[in-house]
Amino acid sequence: MSRDAAIQAATRYLDEGGFVADLARRVAIPTESQNAERGSAMADYLEREMRATLEPLGFACQVHPNPNPKGWPFLVAIRREPGAKHTVFSYGHGDVVRGQDAQWRAGLSPWAVTQEGDRLYGRGTADNKGQHSVNIGALAAVLGVRGGRLGFNMVLVIETGEEIGSPGLQEFCAMHRKEWGCDLFLASDGPRLDPARPTLYCGARGALNFDMSVNYRQGAHHSGNWGGLLADPGITLAHAISSIVSPTGQIRIPEWVPAELPASVRAALADCAVSGGEDGPQIDTWWGEPGLTPAERVYGWCSFDVLAFKTGNPDMPVNAIPGQASAHCQIRFVVGTDYRQFLPALRRHLDRHGLGMVQVAQARAEIMDATRLDPEHPFVRWALQSVSRTTGVKPALLPNLGGSLPNDVFADTLGLPTVWVPHSYAACSQHAPNEHILLPVMRQGLAMMAGLFWDLGEGSPL
């Protein structure tokens, strides 16, 4: 009975085909949370797949309705051991974005796992079915080697609404916080900093989506008859957007950025080089906040992006001045900013620039707030040592993920120190056709998580 034996058992799970077989079964369940017709798929994933997997590992499982009528259900799996000194909370989400079936390249389907070399294709392989499958596989390996013991308690929540903003998750966790009695959080989602380098992160940037629009009149009017006489909403909206950011992407609204980059964050990012692997895009080094490294810009600062812009008919333009224009925008924000002030600050900014005709509205009710555990926290240092011991590599430590997750629920509502260990990479085509994972990353992920779970059973890291 040893740590090395648990790691070997975890990697054999992949080498002997068990991981791929389990993941293929899970990917085949079309759990599209944006699709109101997928209720039976959500039930199948939680009841037929997750319950059937976790109960043999000693978890007591129960599916709970969502307290938010816009949300999908939760599965709570609880495993307790006599004398355990701490309780770990873990998390995964069984829902995926829409399959986009027709857009996948020939030979691939979102609902079937297809292996090509070191890649496994399928919707949810990276986000998030593959990642929580790694963690469950590592748990099973540790239990097998330790004779049915972990050495700690665990509460595992699998939700089915993360891709629609996790409606109800905050309320649900608040309802059960006391009975769960957790003191640590450890889970997996998102990409590594670099495909070849193990990565840990301690929180997530927040995200606020909003719409900007200009509505001058109903209908369009011939540009030859009315050009120069009618205000163009597309031009007005373009000026509004250009007032928000400089030509090189620097945000011009002070309330949208933190006062400073904390020293501990800068230190953690000092040896972090952003890379999407050979398939990833090249970084535009001239874009964003000046004076910051690429890692500091994406993990330590805020960003503003226009995700969609429409005026007239882009697919079939005609010689007419449109009456309306709209843009769907997003702010990714870090700790040190208050998202409640973003839109009021934008309103004041536009008014100062004579752009009172530009309307602003929050695009979605569910907002994931920014979180960041101090990189010097004892749990973070402990996790870094465990992963380094398993892999022989110094892991990258990100103070927070560049993307957004419901980590505010775990850090703030549950009050837990949060450490994430991602098993994907930035060029995995997450949320796009041809989503995939890398088998070497999955294999190393199984080893790392087995090592982490083994070490948790040896004693509390706090």
Side-chain angles (χ1 to χ4, degrees):
M1 186 175 76
S2 70
R3 186 180 194 274
D4 287 345
I7 291 170
Q8 291 167 9
T11 55
R12 279 199 309 272
Y13 169 58
L14 186 144
D15 295 342
E16 296 176 359
F19 174 80
V20 175
D22 287 345
L23 182 58
R25 198 173 56 248
R26 292 162 190 167
V27 166
I29 305 172
T31 49
E32 301 165 301
S33 53
Q34 303 106 328
N35 186 342
E37 299 178 356
R38 293 303 195 191
S40 61
M42 301 301 185
D44 281 351
Y45 195 80
L46 297 183
E47 289 282 5
R48 179 164 58 86
E49 185 56 43
M50 287 293 99
R51 182 192 290 270
T53 298
L54 293 167
E55 284 185 342
L57 300 181
F59 285 87
C61 298
Q62 184 175 354
V63 174
H64 297 260
N66 196 310
N68 188 320
K70 297 180 180 179
W72 295 101
F74 304 99
L75 179 136
V76 179
I78 299 177
R79 193 180 192 284
R80 299 195 186 275
E81 295 182 358
K85 295 182 179 179
H86 57 101
T87 301
V88 177
F89 186 95
S90 195
Y91 163 87
H93 64 89
D95 65 312
V96 298
V97 299
R98 291 186 183 273
Q100 303 170 297
D101 304 46
Q103 300 176 44
W104 289 56
R105 66 171 172 79
L108 300 180
S109 164
W111 313 120
V113 167
T114 302
Q115 182 172 352
E116 293 183 358
D118 282 340
R119 296 186 175 192
L120 289 181
Y121 289 89
R123 178 61 82 223
T125 51
D127 188 19
N128 171 260
K129 294 176 179 178
Q131 302 218 37
H132 61 255
S133 293
V134 163
N135 295 356
I136 293 170
L139 279 170
V142 171
L143 283 166
V145 172
R146 262 207 176 114
R149 291 183 57 257
L150 287 176
F152 56 91
N153 301 324
M154 175 169 274
V155 176
L156 171 60
V157 170
I158 304 290
E159 74 158 317
T160 50
E162 194 271 348
E163 300 295 2
I164 56 172
S166 298
L169 180 63
Q170 192 278 334
E171 298 94 324
F172 182 72
C173 287
M175 290 165 52
H176 295 278
R177 173 182 176 173
K178 289 185 178 180
E179 69 181 80
W180 290 341
C182 301
D183 50 19
L184 299 169
F185 175 93
L186 181 64
S188 301
D189 203 351
R192 290 179 167 195
L193 177 70
D194 182 288
R197 189 177 182 190
T199 300
L200 281 71
Y201 62 89
C202 312
R205 285 204 293 187
L208 174 66
N209 287 46
F210 63 95
D211 294 313
M212 300 173 65
S213 60
V214 177
N215 188 351
Y216 279 140
R217 66 193 70 86
Q218 291 298 312
H221 297 272
H222 193 281
S223 58
N225 298 333
W226 295 97
L229 301 178
L230 295 182
D232 188 316
I235 293 174
T236 299
L237 189 53
H239 277 282
I241 292 169
S242 68
S243 76
I244 295 171
V245 288
S246 74
T248 57
Q250 182 180 12
I251 294 174
R252 289 170 161 165
I253 302 177
E255 294 91 338
W256 285 15
V257 295
E260 62 179 357
L261 188 68
S264 62
V265 173
R266 193 181 292 273
L269 295 173
D271 73 337
C272 293
V274 180
S275 172
E278 59 185 31
D279 294 336
Q282 293 298 309
I283 294 171
D284 294 317
T285 56
W286 51 271
W287 185 262
E289 183 69 17
L292 300 183
T293 67
E296 289 168 348
R297 293 203 301 268
V298 72
Y299 301 117
W301 209 250
C302 303
S303 63
F304 166 73
D305 288 288
V306 179
L307 305 183
F309 189 127
K310 183 177 180 180
T311 184
N313 187 338
D315 296 323
M316 298 183 66
V318 296
N319 293 326
I321 302 167
Q324 301 90 29
S326 62
H328 186 75
C329 307
Q330 183 182 72
I331 308 169
R332 296 277 185 177
F333 59 95
V334 296
V335 170
T337 59
D338 182 357
Y339 72 84
R340 299 165 191 84
Q341 300 303 316
F342 288 168
L343 297 189
L346 175 59
R347 180 72 272 158
R348 295 191 297 269
H349 171 87
L350 293 173
D351 291 346
R352 284 195 302 269
H353 285 75
L355 293 164
M357 72 291 290
V358 178
Q359 301 173 29
V360 177
Q362 187 173 315
R364 52 193 281 185
E366 304 295 335
I367 298 175
M368 297 177 181
D369 204 354
T371 54
R372 179 192 291 148
L373 181 64
D374 187 336
E376 296 299 323
H377 191 280
F379 186 34
V380 178
R381 311 316 302 177
W382 173 90
L384 285 170
Q385 292 173 3
S386 175
V387 171
S388 180
R389 179 183 175 191
T390 299
T391 64
V393 175
K394 181 185 178 184
L397 174 61
L398 305 179
N400 48 259
L401 186 67
S404 300
L405 289 164
N407 196 62
D408 55 321
V409 174
F410 314 128
D412 299 335
T413 303
L414 294 182
L416 304 177
T418 56
V419 170
W420 296 78
V421 186
H423 308 314
S424 183
Y425 77 117
C428 67
S429 297
Q430 172 188 357
H431 289 195
N434 310 326
E435 179 183 345
H436 61 278
I437 52 175
L438 302 176
L439 282 170
V441 174
M442 296 295 106
R443 191 176 193 278
Q444 190 177 60
L446 283 159
M448 290 190 302
M449 297 310 296
L452 282 162
F453 290 139
W454 185 274
D455 293 343
L456 282 169
E458 296 290 288
S460 173
L462 298 180

